[in-house]
Structure formats: C-alpha cells, structure tokens
Amino acid sequence: MLDRKQLGERLRIARQRMNMSQLELSLALEDHDIKLNQTAIGKIERGERNMYVHQLVAFADVLDVSVVWVLEGGDISIP
C-alpha cells in the first residue's frame, strides 16, 4: 500500500523532472483552482500532509504524469 511519503516523493521527482520550483508548481496549480502555497507543497512532498483526490489529479496534470504513475510508480522518462 502506498503511503504519504512515497506519494510525496513521486510528486517531488515529477516536479524536479519538469525543472519546476515549488513556487512555480503552486502558481501552476492555481489554473486548476488549487490553492496550495510553497510550504504546503513541501509538506506534501515530505509526506507530512494529506491531499485530496482532486489535488492529486491537478498535480499529475501540471507535472505531466499519470495518476497511475503517482500511485503505483514505475518508469518515468527523465529528460
């Protein structure tokens, strides 16, 4: 079973793959009506904060990964 720490690590990997800062991710999420500041994103990446399904879907969209990859892992192409 996937825990918060694993989920957060995968989101961090995807964000870094996009060469995106936490602040840039925060601003991009606003286009999906998700209001999370840089501190909240850091807590999610460290597994210290839960997230809702609609937030997970928005993260995956902005970070150009599938929700399945975030939840299950596997290969991700790194530029």
Side-chain angles (χ1 to χ4, degrees):
M1 178 178 223
L2 183 72
D3 64 24
R4 287 187 310 194
K5 192 169 185 171
Q6 291 170 315
L7 181 115
E9 177 67 14
R10 290 188 185 138
L11 291 174
R12 183 189 61 76
I13 289 167
R15 177 182 58 76
Q16 290 177 337
R17 177 183 146 263
M18 299 290 290
N19 294 314
M20 186 179 279
S21 70
Q22 290 175 341
L23 179 58
E24 291 169 327
L25 176 56
S26 173
L27 295 172
L29 288 169
E30 288 181 6
D31 291 339
H32 294 270
D33 295 322
I34 304 295
K35 306 248 188 279
L36 292 171
N37 61 26
Q38 185 177 358
T39 302
I41 290 172
K43 286 181 179 182
I44 289 169
E45 289 183 355
R46 291 188 302 275
E48 298 170 358
R49 178 182 171 144
N50 288 325
M51 60 188 314
Y52 295 101
V53 172
H54 70 281
Q55 292 172 328
L56 174 61
V57 171
F59 269 78
D61 186 51
V62 168
L63 297 173
D64 195 29
V65 293
S66 71
V67 172
V68 172
W69 179 82
V70 176
L71 296 175
E72 296 180 3
D75 291 336
I76 183 171
S77 60
I78 299 177

